[in-house]
Amino acid sequence: MGGAVWPEPRRRLVRLYVQFFDDAWSPIGSPLAFWCGTMDTIKATVRQQTATVEVTAETLFTRRGKPPYGWLSDSSQRGLFPGDFGLAMLSAIPFKSTPWPAW
């Protein structure tokens, strides 16, 4: 039987904990947070008497360097903040030579 994929869990918070147990399987102390991230996809597969659930997740820092509402461009910046011309010369930067002072 093939796997089913559900899109609903996408971008939900995921926390992975580590719990230690004694010989009688009683928990020792509190669980320790090991990893945090966001869910990407979840897939379930059932074969005879075994069920497998696979969850892919990304770290919270995956898109940290990306602009939150679009591209880092002059038009997107002016769309968010009208009158802001801070990125007006951004497109010319890759081809610009910067003269350094010769002291």
Side-chain angles (χ1 to χ4, degrees):
M1 181 176 200
V5 178
W6 294 278
E8 293 88 11
R10 192 174 179 95
R11 289 187 292 275
R12 285 191 182 177
L13 184 63
V14 175
R15 291 187 185 122
L16 183 62
Y17 292 93
V18 175
Q19 177 68 59
F20 296 102
F21 297 92
D22 62 11
D23 294 334
W25 288 100
S26 296
I28 300 173
S30 299
L32 303 171
F34 182 73
W35 188 82
C36 289
T38 54
M39 267 194 222
D40 189 26
T41 59
I42 185 169
K43 179 181 176 182
T45 306
V46 179
R47 290 194 178 102
Q48 294 177 355
Q49 296 181 358
T50 303
T52 304
V53 177
E54 296 177 34
V55 178
T56 59
E58 298 175 335
T59 177
L60 296 174
F61 299 108
T62 299
R63 295 189 48 85
R64 182 87 178 237
K66 302 289 183 187
Y69 299 108
W71 298 94
L72 184 60
S73 66
D74 182 46
S75 60
S76 66
Q77 183 70 11
R78 279 189 279 143
L80 292 171
F81 304 100
D84 183 359
F85 295 99
L87 297 177
M89 299 302 292
L90 183 67
S91 61
I93 290 175
F95 308 105
K96 184 161 181 75
S97 296
T98 306
W100 292 100
W103 290 311

